[in-house]
Amino acid sequence: MIHLLFLQNWRHNYAYPTRFLLSYWDTLTFDPMQSFTDSGTPFSHEYFMRQALREAEEAFAKDEVPVGAVVVLNNRVIARGHNQVELLNDSTAHAEILALTTAYQALGSKYLPDATLYVTVEPCLMCCGALYWGKIGKIVYGASDEKSGYQHFTIHNPFHPKTEIISGILAGECAQLMKDFFKARR
């Protein structure tokens, strides 16, 4: 049985197989009428960062650099991705890029002004360019990346002027996953 996620924009209804997108029902394991706070309950930054961490753990299991990302719109995960650089033999197959591409296709749009990207590690400059052009509304990342993160290369904000940046969400867990990965490779 294939479940379909229905998305509606101002012109069309779209149906997408859930193997590409996580349906609303798959993300809900709680009472949807519950009040939510930022303490790790559903719809908080911690909740969605844990979703991104799951993607990062999947990358880790596949011997990829463990970075995971999810795109959230209206408190629903509409796209997810993890690094697949080695699998695809493609240096641009970063978690952020893969999640953004899936979100664009799901919404039939090239801009995501009302969406939030949750990513486990600070985006690199390449991903910043994609996020800039996608006009994403908010970026939430966990651990800073002192070697490859955008802050290492620029003092200016590389994102769209309207994009809100939040950092440090579950930073310890995100950083530990990266440390464990590189420690195991030595």
Side-chain angles (χ1 to χ4, degrees):
M1 176 198 293
I2 296 177
H3 295 279
L4 297 178
L5 171 64
F6 291 93
L7 300 170
Q8 183 176 13
N9 74 7
W10 66 281
R11 282 191 181 164
H12 306 285
N13 288 327
Y14 297 96
Y16 296 93
T18 56
R19 65 186 173 135
F20 296 111
L21 298 172
L22 184 64
S23 74
Y24 177 66
W25 297 277
D26 292 336
T27 64
L28 295 179
T29 56
F30 53 86
D31 177 6
M33 302 309 291
Q34 177 183 352
S35 297
F36 303 112
T37 64
D38 285 333
S39 64
T41 58
F43 301 153
S44 69
H45 292 314
E46 289 82 4
Y47 174 77
F48 289 117
M49 187 60 73
R50 290 207 185 283
Q51 299 288 316
L53 269 167
R54 274 199 234 160
E55 287 295 313
E57 289 166 355
E58 190 172 331
F60 187 100
K62 295 176 180 176
D63 208 27
E64 297 274 359
V65 175
V67 178
V70 295
V71 178
V72 175
L73 182 65
N74 298 326
N75 290 325
R76 294 181 182 176
V77 174
I78 62 166
R80 49 182 63 240
H82 57 273
N83 274 4
Q84 295 185 30
V85 172
E86 301 300 324
L87 174 70
L88 300 176
N89 200 26
D90 179 357
S91 62
T92 66
H94 288 196
E96 301 95 313
I97 302 292
L98 298 174
L100 285 174
T101 300
T102 303
Y104 296 145
Q105 292 172 352
L107 298 176
S109 175
K110 61 183 175 182
Y111 301 122
L112 301 170
D114 299 321
T116 301
L117 173 77
Y118 289 85
V119 60
T120 57
V121 178
E122 174 186 345
C124 70
L125 278 180
M126 176 188 68
C127 293
C128 289
L131 292 163
Y132 174 89
W133 289 110
K135 300 180 182 178
I136 194 148
K138 188 183 295 182
I139 299 166
V140 180
Y141 68 88
S144 294
D145 185 349
E146 296 176 7
K147 293 182 180 178
S148 301
Y150 75 89
Q151 292 183 52
H152 176 73
F153 297 101
T154 181
I155 58 171
H156 302 289
N157 179 5
F159 303 109
H160 191 272
K162 293 182 180 179
T163 299
E164 180 184 350
I165 310 298
I166 298 173
S167 62
I169 304 298
L170 302 180
E173 292 178 45
C174 296
Q176 189 61 51
L177 191 59
M178 293 289 281
K179 289 176 187 174
D180 292 347
F181 176 78
F182 288 109
K183 184 177 180 181
R185 292 183 64 104
R186 290 187 186 131

Coordinates of all heavy atoms in Angstrom, one line a residue, residues 12-63:
H12 N -3.1 24.1 -8.0 CA -3.2 22.7 -8.2 C -3.1 21.9 -6.9 O -2.6 22.3 -5.9 CB -2.1 22.2 -9.1 CG -2.0 22.9 -10.4 ND1 -2.8 22.7 -11.5 CD2 -1.1 23.9 -10.8 CE1 -2.5 23.5 -12.5 NE2 -1.5 24.2 -12.1
N13 N -3.6 20.7 -7.0 CA -3.4 19.7 -5.9 C -2.3 18.7 -6.4 O -2.4 18.3 -7.6 CB -4.7 18.9 -5.6 CG -5.7 19.7 -4.9 OD1 -5.4 20.6 -4.1 ND2 -7.0 19.5 -5.1
Y14 N -1.4 18.4 -5.6 CA -0.4 17.5 -5.9 C -0.4 16.2 -5.0 O -0.7 16.4 -3.8 CB 1.0 18.1 -5.8 CG 1.2 19.3 -6.7 CD1 1.0 20.6 -6.2 CD2 1.6 19.1 -8.0 CE1 1.2 21.7 -7.1 CE2 1.8 20.2 -8.8 CZ 1.6 21.4 -8.4 OH 1.8 22.5 -9.2
A15 N -0.1 15.1 -5.5 CA 0.0 13.9 -4.7 C 1.4 13.3 -4.9 O 1.9 13.2 -6.0 CB -1.0 12.9 -5.1
Y16 N 2.1 13.0 -3.8 CA 3.5 12.5 -3.9 C 3.6 11.3 -3.0 O 3.1 11.2 -1.9 CB 4.4 13.6 -3.3 CG 4.5 14.8 -4.2 CD1 3.7 15.9 -3.9 CD2 5.3 14.8 -5.3 CE1 3.7 17.0 -4.7 CE2 5.3 16.0 -6.1 CZ 4.5 17.0 -5.8 OH 4.5 18.1 -6.6
P17 N 4.2 10.2 -3.5 CA 4.4 9.0 -2.7 C 5.3 9.4 -1.5 O 6.2 10.2 -1.6 CB 5.2 8.1 -3.7 CG 5.0 8.7 -5.0 CD 4.8 10.1 -4.9
T18 N 4.9 8.7 -0.4 CA 5.6 9.1 0.9 C 7.0 8.5 0.9 O 7.8 8.8 1.8 CB 4.8 8.5 2.1 OG1 4.6 7.1 1.9 CG2 3.6 9.3 2.3
R19 N 7.4 7.7 -0.1 CA 8.9 7.3 0.0 C 9.8 8.5 -0.3 O 10.9 8.5 0.1 CB 9.1 6.2 -1.0 CG 9.0 6.6 -2.4 CD 9.1 5.3 -3.3 NE 8.8 5.8 -4.7 CZ 9.5 5.5 -5.7 NH1 10.5 4.7 -5.6 NH2 9.1 5.9 -6.9
F20 N 9.2 9.6 -0.9 CA 10.0 10.8 -1.1 C 9.7 11.8 0.0 O 10.5 12.6 0.3 CB 9.7 11.4 -2.4 CG 10.1 10.5 -3.6 CD1 9.2 9.9 -4.4 CD2 11.5 10.2 -3.8 CE1 9.6 9.1 -5.4 CE2 11.9 9.4 -4.8 CZ 10.9 8.8 -5.6
L21 N 8.5 11.8 0.5 CA 8.1 12.7 1.5 C 7.5 12.0 2.7 O 6.9 11.0 2.6 CB 7.0 13.7 1.0 CG 7.5 14.6 -0.2 CD1 6.2 15.3 -0.7 CD2 8.5 15.5 0.3
L22 N 7.7 12.6 3.9 CA 7.1 12.0 5.1 C 5.8 12.6 5.3 O 5.6 13.8 5.3 CB 8.0 12.3 6.3 CG 7.6 11.7 7.6 CD1 7.7 10.2 7.5 CD2 8.5 12.2 8.7
S23 N 4.8 11.7 5.3 CA 3.4 12.2 5.4 C 3.1 12.8 6.8 O 3.8 12.4 7.8 CB 2.4 11.1 5.1 OG 2.3 10.2 6.1
Y24 N 2.1 13.5 6.9 CA 1.7 14.1 8.2 C 1.5 13.1 9.2 O 1.9 13.2 10.3 CB 0.5 15.0 7.9 CG -0.1 15.6 9.1 CD1 0.6 16.6 9.8 CD2 -1.4 15.2 9.6 CE1 0.0 17.2 10.9 CE2 -1.9 15.8 10.7 CZ -1.2 16.8 11.4 OH -1.7 17.4 12.5
W25 N 0.8 12.0 8.8 CA 0.5 11.0 9.8 C 1.7 10.2 10.3 O 1.7 9.7 11.4 CB -0.5 10.0 9.2 CG -1.8 10.7 8.8 CD1 -2.8 11.0 9.7 CD2 -2.1 11.3 7.6 NE1 -3.8 11.7 9.0 CE2 -3.4 11.9 7.7 CE3 -1.5 11.4 6.3 CZ2 -4.0 12.6 6.7 CZ3 -2.1 12.0 5.3 CH2 -3.3 12.6 5.5
D26 N 2.7 10.1 9.5 CA 4.0 9.5 9.9 C 4.7 10.3 10.9 O 5.5 9.8 11.7 CB 4.9 9.2 8.8 CG 4.3 8.1 7.8 OD1 3.5 7.3 8.3 OD2 4.7 8.1 6.7
T27 N 4.5 11.6 10.9 CA 5.2 12.5 11.8 C 4.5 12.6 13.2 O 5.1 13.1 14.1 CB 5.5 13.9 11.2 OG1 4.2 14.5 11.0 CG2 6.3 13.8 10.0
L28 N 3.2 12.3 13.2 CA 2.4 12.5 14.4 C 2.4 11.3 15.3 O 1.9 10.2 14.9 CB 1.0 12.9 14.1 CG 0.9 14.2 13.3 CD1 -0.6 14.5 13.0 CD2 1.4 15.4 14.2
T29 N 2.9 11.4 16.5 CA 2.8 10.3 17.5 C 2.4 10.9 18.8 O 2.9 10.6 19.9 CB 4.2 9.6 17.7 OG1 5.2 10.6 18.0 CG2 4.6 8.9 16.4
F30 N 1.5 11.9 18.7 CA 1.1 12.7 19.9 C -0.3 13.3 19.6 O -0.8 13.1 18.5 CB 2.1 13.8 20.1 CG 2.4 14.7 18.9 CD1 1.5 15.7 18.5 CD2 3.4 14.4 18.0 CE1 1.7 16.5 17.4 CE2 3.5 15.1 16.8 CZ 2.7 16.1 16.5
D31 N -0.8 13.9 20.6 CA -2.1 14.5 20.5 C -2.0 15.8 19.7 O -1.4 16.8 20.2 CB -2.7 14.7 21.8 CG -4.1 15.4 21.8 OD1 -4.6 15.7 20.7 OD2 -4.6 15.8 22.9
P32 N -2.6 16.0 18.5 CA -2.4 17.2 17.8 C -3.0 18.5 18.4 O -2.7 19.6 18.0 CB -3.0 16.9 16.4 CG -3.7 15.7 16.5 CD -3.3 15.0 17.8
M33 N -3.9 18.3 19.4 CA -4.5 19.4 20.0 C -3.7 19.9 21.2 O -4.1 20.9 21.9 CB -5.9 19.0 20.5 CG -6.8 18.6 19.3 SD -6.8 19.7 17.9 CE -7.7 21.1 18.6
Q34 N -2.6 19.2 21.5 CA -1.8 19.6 22.7 C -1.1 20.9 22.5 O -0.8 21.3 21.4 CB -0.7 18.5 22.9 CG 0.3 18.7 23.9 CD 1.3 17.6 24.0 OE1 1.2 16.6 23.3 NE2 2.3 17.8 24.8
S35 N -0.9 21.7 23.6 CA -0.1 22.9 23.5 C 1.4 22.6 23.4 O 1.8 21.6 24.1 CB -0.4 23.8 24.7 OG -1.7 24.1 24.8
F36 N 2.1 23.4 22.7 CA 3.5 23.1 22.5 C 4.4 24.2 23.0 O 4.1 25.3 22.9 CB 3.8 22.8 21.0 CG 2.9 21.7 20.5 CD1 2.0 21.9 19.6 CD2 3.1 20.4 21.0 CE1 1.2 20.9 19.1 CE2 2.3 19.3 20.5 CZ 1.3 19.6 19.6
T37 N 5.6 23.8 23.5 CA 6.6 24.7 23.9 C 7.9 24.4 23.3 O 8.0 23.4 22.5 CB 6.7 24.7 25.5 OG1 7.2 23.4 25.8 CG2 5.4 25.0 26.2
D38 N 9.0 25.1 23.6 CA 10.3 24.8 23.0 C 11.1 23.8 23.9 O 12.3 23.8 23.9 CB 11.1 26.1 22.8 CG 10.6 26.8 21.6 OD1 10.0 26.2 20.7 OD2 10.7 28.0 21.6
S39 N 10.4 22.9 24.6 CA 11.2 22.0 25.5 C 11.4 20.6 24.9 O 11.7 19.7 25.6 CB 10.4 21.9 26.8 OG 9.1 21.3 26.6
G40 N 11.3 20.5 23.6 CA 11.5 19.2 23.0 C 10.2 18.5 22.6 O 10.2 17.4 22.1
T41 N 9.1 19.2 22.8 CA 7.8 18.6 22.5 C 7.6 18.8 21.0 O 8.3 19.6 20.3 CB 6.7 19.3 23.3 OG1 6.7 20.7 23.1 CG2 6.8 19.0 24.8
P42 N 6.6 18.1 20.4 CA 6.3 18.3 19.0 C 6.1 19.8 18.6 O 5.6 20.6 19.4 CB 5.1 17.5 18.7 CG 5.1 16.4 19.8 CD 5.8 17.1 21.0
F43 N 6.6 20.1 17.4 CA 6.5 21.4 16.8 C 7.5 22.4 17.4 O 7.5 23.6 17.2 CB 5.1 22.0 16.9 CG 4.1 21.2 16.1 CD1 2.8 21.3 16.5 CD2 4.4 20.4 15.1 CE1 1.8 20.5 15.8 CE2 3.5 19.6 14.4 CZ 2.2 19.7 14.8
S44 N 8.5 21.9 18.3 CA 9.5 22.8 18.8 C 10.7 22.7 17.9 O 10.9 21.7 17.1 CB 9.8 22.4 20.2 OG 10.5 21.2 20.3
H45 N 11.7 23.6 18.1 CA 13.0 23.4 17.4 C 13.7 22.1 17.7 O 14.2 21.5 16.8 CB 13.9 24.6 17.7 CG 13.4 25.9 17.2 ND1 12.9 26.1 15.9 CD2 13.3 27.1 17.7 CE1 12.6 27.3 15.7 NE2 12.8 28.0 16.8
E46 N 13.6 21.7 19.0 CA 14.3 20.5 19.4 C 13.6 19.3 18.7 O 14.3 18.3 18.3 CB 14.2 20.3 20.9 CG 15.1 21.3 21.6 CD 14.5 22.7 21.8 OE1 13.4 22.9 21.4 OE2 15.3 23.5 22.3
Y47 N 12.3 19.3 18.6 CA 11.6 18.2 18.0 C 12.0 18.0 16.5 O 12.4 16.9 16.1 CB 10.1 18.4 18.0 CG 9.3 17.4 17.3 CD1 9.1 16.1 17.8 CD2 8.8 17.7 16.0 CE1 8.4 15.2 17.1 CE2 8.0 16.7 15.3 CZ 7.8 15.5 15.9 OH 7.1 14.5 15.2
F48 N 12.0 19.1 15.8 CA 12.4 19.0 14.3 C 13.9 18.7 14.2 O 14.3 18.1 13.2 CB 11.9 20.2 13.6 CG 10.4 20.3 13.4 CD1 9.7 21.3 14.0 CD2 9.8 19.2 12.7 CE1 8.3 21.3 13.8 CE2 8.4 19.3 12.6 CZ 7.6 20.3 13.1
M49 N 14.7 19.2 15.1 CA 16.2 19.0 15.0 C 16.4 17.5 15.2 O 17.3 16.9 14.6 CB 17.0 19.8 16.0 CG 18.5 19.7 15.8 SD 19.1 20.2 14.2 CE 18.9 21.9 14.3
R50 N 15.6 16.9 16.1 CA 15.7 15.4 16.3 C 15.4 14.7 15.0 O 16.0 13.6 14.7 CB 14.9 14.9 17.4 CG 15.4 15.4 18.8 CD 15.0 14.5 19.9 NE 15.4 15.1 21.2 CZ 16.7 15.1 21.6 NH1 17.6 14.5 20.9 NH2 17.0 15.7 22.8
Q51 N 14.5 15.2 14.2 CA 14.1 14.6 12.9 C 15.4 14.7 12.0 O 15.7 13.7 11.3 CB 13.0 15.3 12.3 CG 11.7 15.2 13.1 CD 11.0 13.9 13.0 OE1 11.0 13.2 12.0 NE2 10.6 13.4 14.2
A52 N 16.0 15.8 12.0 CA 17.3 16.0 11.2 C 18.4 15.1 11.7 O 19.1 14.5 10.9 CB 17.7 17.5 11.3
L53 N 18.4 14.9 13.0 CA 19.4 14.0 13.6 C 19.2 12.6 13.2 O 20.2 11.8 12.9 CB 19.4 14.1 15.1 CG 20.4 15.1 15.8 CD1 20.1 15.3 17.2 CD2 21.8 14.6 15.6
R54 N 18.0 12.2 13.0 CA 17.7 10.8 12.5 C 18.2 10.7 11.1 O 18.8 9.6 10.7 CB 16.2 10.6 12.5 CG 15.6 10.1 13.8 CD 14.3 9.4 13.5 NE 13.3 10.0 14.4 CZ 12.0 10.0 14.3 NH1 11.5 9.4 13.2 NH2 11.2 10.6 15.1
E55 N 18.1 11.7 10.3 CA 18.6 11.7 8.9 C 20.2 11.6 9.0 O 20.8 10.8 8.2 CB 18.2 12.9 8.1 CG 16.8 12.9 7.7 CD 16.5 11.8 6.7 OE1 17.3 11.6 5.7 OE2 15.5 11.1 6.9
A56 N 20.8 12.3 9.9 CA 22.2 12.3 10.1 C 22.7 10.9 10.5 O 23.7 10.4 10.0 CB 22.7 13.3 11.1
E57 N 22.0 10.3 11.4 CA 22.3 8.9 11.8 C 22.2 7.9 10.6 O 23.0 7.0 10.5 CB 21.4 8.5 13.0 CG 21.7 9.2 14.2 CD 20.6 9.1 15.3 OE1 19.6 8.5 15.0 OE2 20.9 9.6 16.4
E58 N 21.2 8.2 9.7 CA 21.1 7.3 8.6 C 22.4 7.5 7.7 O 22.9 6.5 7.1 CB 19.9 7.7 7.8 CG 19.5 6.7 6.7 CD 18.2 6.9 6.1 OE1 17.3 7.4 6.7 OE2 18.1 6.6 4.9
A59 N 22.8 8.7 7.5 CA 24.1 9.0 6.8 C 25.2 8.3 7.4 O 26.1 7.7 6.7 CB 24.3 10.5 6.6
F60 N 25.3 8.4 8.7 CA 26.4 7.7 9.5 C 26.4 6.2 9.2 O 27.5 5.6 8.9 CB 26.2 8.0 11.0 CG 27.3 7.5 11.9 CD1 28.3 8.4 12.3 CD2 27.4 6.2 12.2 CE1 29.3 8.0 13.2 CE2 28.5 5.8 13.1 CZ 29.4 6.7 13.5
A61 N 25.3 5.6 9.2 CA 25.2 4.2 9.0 C 25.6 3.8 7.5 O 26.0 2.7 7.3 CB 23.7 3.7 9.2
K62 N 25.5 4.7 6.6 CA 25.9 4.5 5.2 C 27.3 5.0 5.0 O 27.7 5.1 3.8 CB 24.9 5.2 4.3 CG 23.5 4.7 4.4 CD 22.6 5.5 3.5 CE 21.2 4.9 3.5 NZ 20.3 5.8 2.7
D63 N 28.1 5.3 6.0 CA 29.4 5.7 5.9 C 29.6 7.1 5.2 O 30.5 7.3 4.4 CB 30.3 4.7 5.3 CG 31.8 4.8 5.8 OD1 32.0 5.3 6.9 OD2 32.7 4.4 5.0

